[in-house]
Amino acid sequence: MWCFKKIIVFKIIAAIGLMLSVDYIMMFAFLLILGFFVGGDLTVGGASFKEYLPPSKSWVYTLISASMCLGGAISGLIALILSQCDNL
């Protein structure tokens, strides 16, 4: 759980740095750092959640993973549809 909390703290610091960026170089640097910690949060957060989950509720982890995949596909489709609209 310590690693999960550490990632959250660094993610917050990177998000604040991204918000307070003064030029594109600084913005891209903080975005890169934030991307690394978001990727780490996906793996560490899921492992921490699975570790404290009772065996009878293991279907919840599968449901969360499936909903994240479905949400990524739906958001990609919405972006594709909106990119084809010329009158927006």
Side-chain angles (χ1 to χ4, degrees):
M1 192 57 108
W2 175 80
C3 187
F4 181 69
K5 291 177 184 176
K6 184 175 157 184
I7 287 176
I8 295 294
V9 168
F10 283 126
K11 196 163 57 166
I12 290 171
I13 292 170
I16 291 171
L18 179 64
M19 183 180 66
L20 298 175
S21 297
V22 294
D23 60 355
Y24 284 119
I25 304 291
M26 187 176 178
M27 182 182 73
F28 290 141
F30 277 113
L31 192 59
L32 178 73
I33 294 168
L34 184 63
F36 277 116
F37 286 115
V38 167
D41 184 35
L42 288 174
T43 57
V44 174
S48 297
F49 180 70
K50 184 74 171 167
E51 183 178 338
Y52 292 106
L53 195 65
S56 63
K57 302 283 185 182
S58 62
W59 59 270
V60 174
Y61 184 68
T62 304
L63 182 67
I64 290 172
S65 297
S67 67
M68 287 178 67
C69 294
L70 187 64
I74 290 173
S75 65
L77 286 174
I78 290 172
L80 181 65
I81 291 168
L82 290 177
S83 70
Q84 301 300 320
C85 296
D86 290 334
N87 56 356
L88 286 180

